[in-house]
């Protein structure tokens, strides 16, 4: 055991003496050489980048553009330059092949590609690396017809826009303004297209939030549905149906479907909607009040007026 310890000590002194004689310990050689190799590697990488075809011209162009734009900015012409040529960063990126060359749009139904591109704020002067996809999405989300949207960048030069539109569900009129609304009642566009005339038409404050109730009434009206022009929500409680011939059908707040079935029976039996009437009032359970037109009311009054000379 002591011999082993002595041998170890002798070996240690020999190693230390050897180190002092000029040989470095093995563990000390790694870091300096690795650092040297790393510096050489970065230098070689930069040298390879510098030899890329056309890079020198691009850098010169970028430098000259930067100098020129600086002067233009000081002279108040920077905004005009950017409007025509794009931002300096985008100019360089486009020169490197990273421009916004392709925009792929999917999911649109009512919106046109032109409307989407305009709403997204996209143009041919932008580049993909410096395009803010979140900002593009935020701009698209402000469009009434857009329910949701995903925007993805695909290098080197492609932008993908996936649109989820709101579906036009009904036409809503309030205070003279007519809008297209979605199933949740959210206004999505102004009414300016004849193709939306097929949609249910509701009128009044809060009617956009009660469209499903109105649609249920239309389904309960049976053959009368084709004669219903609009549903007017009165005091946010009950519906008045405006028929295509101008007659108003005042429905009760509760069990309006029963009133519609009664109306359908009267229409089949006597064609009541074709009479000279202004309105039919079903609001009182078990009773129907009919309001005649002025001409019909006058004729009725004249028919029931006592004749001259007739015995009283």
């Amino acid at each position: 055991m002591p011999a082993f310890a002595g041998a170890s000590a002798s070996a240690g002194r020999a190693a230390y003496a050897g180190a002092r004689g000029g040989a470095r310990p093995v563990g000390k050689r790694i870091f300096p050489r690795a650092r040297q190799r790393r510096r050489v590697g970065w230098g070689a990488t930069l040298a390879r980048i510098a030899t890329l075809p056309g890079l020198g011209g691009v850098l010169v162009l970028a430098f000259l553009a930067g100098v020129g734009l600086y002067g233009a900015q000081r002279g108040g012409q920077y905004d005009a330059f950017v409007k025509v040529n794009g931002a300096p960063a985008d100019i360089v990126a486009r020169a490197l092949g990273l421009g916004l060359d392709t925009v792929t749009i999917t999911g649109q139904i009512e919106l046109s590609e032109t409307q989407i591109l305009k709403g997204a704020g996209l143009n041919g002067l932008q580049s993909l690396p410096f395009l803010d996809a979140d900002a593009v999405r935020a701009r698209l989300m402000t469009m009434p017809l857009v329910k949701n949207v995903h925007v993805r960048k695909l290098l080197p030069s492609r932008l993908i826009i996936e649109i989820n539109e709101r579906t036009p569900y009904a036409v809503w009129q309030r205070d003279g303004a007519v809008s297209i609304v979605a199933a949740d009642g959210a206004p999505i566009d102004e009414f300016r297209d004849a193709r939306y005339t097929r949609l249910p038409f509701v009128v009044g404050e809060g009617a956009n939030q009660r469209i499903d109730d109105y649609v249920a009434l239309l389904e309960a009206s049976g053959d009368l549905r084709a004669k219903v022009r609009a549903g007017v929500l009165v005091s946010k409680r009950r519906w008045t149906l405006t028929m295509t011939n101008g007659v108003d059908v005042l429905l009760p707040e509760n069990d309006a479907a029963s009133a519609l079935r009664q109306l359908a029976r009267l229409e089949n039996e006597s064609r009541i909607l074709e009479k000279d009437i202004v309105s039919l009032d079903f609001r009182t359970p078990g009773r129907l009040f009919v309001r005649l037109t002025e001409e019909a009311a006058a004729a009725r009054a004249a028919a029931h007026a006592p004749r001259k000379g007739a015995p009283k």
Side-chain angles (χ1 to χ4, degrees), residues 104-185:
T104 302
I105 303 173
T106 61
Q108 78 276 20
I109 299 175
E110 303 292 338
L111 290 169
S112 67
E113 292 183 355
T114 301
Q115 289 174 312
I116 294 173
L117 292 175
K118 183 178 179 181
L122 300 178
N123 57 65
L125 299 178
Q126 295 160 313
S127 66
L128 202 64
F130 297 104
L131 183 68
D132 189 340
D134 292 335
V136 172
R137 181 183 184 276
R139 287 192 290 268
L140 288 172
M141 288 297 294
T142 63
M143 301 179 69
L145 267 172
V146 176
K147 183 177 182 180
N148 198 7
V149 61
H150 298 282
V151 179
R152 294 185 291 126
K153 298 195 294 185
L154 188 63
L155 291 172
S157 58
R158 183 182 178 189
L159 185 71
I160 300 175
I161 299 176
E162 299 171 347
I163 293 283
N164 183 10
E165 289 186 1
R166 295 181 183 273
T167 302
Y169 189 66
V171 180
W172 175 42
Q173 178 178 324
R174 182 188 62 169
D175 298 332
V178 184
S179 306
I180 308 299
V181 297
D184 60 359

Side-chain angles (χ1 to χ4, degrees), residues 44 291 300:
R291 180 184 174 189
R300 178 182 173 82

Side-chain angles (χ1 to χ4, degrees), residues 27-103:
K28 296 292 184 179
R29 296 175 182 173
I30 298 175
F31 179 72
R33 292 187 178 182
R35 182 170 57 185
Q36 185 178 11
R37 286 196 300 269
R38 195 171 295 126
R39 285 201 298 267
V40 172
W42 279 110
T45 301
L46 292 175
R48 287 196 298 269
I49 293 175
T51 59
L52 289 176
L55 180 61
V58 171
L59 294 177
V60 172
L61 176 62
F63 175 76
L64 293 177
V67 173
L69 289 177
Y70 175 75
Q73 186 175 18
R74 290 180 61 86
Q77 301 173 355
Y78 176 77
D79 292 339
F81 178 89
V82 170
K83 185 176 180 179
V84 176
N85 302 281
D90 289 325
I91 295 174
V92 175
R94 295 201 313 267
L96 293 173
L98 300 175
L100 184 61
D101 297 336
T102 304
V103 179

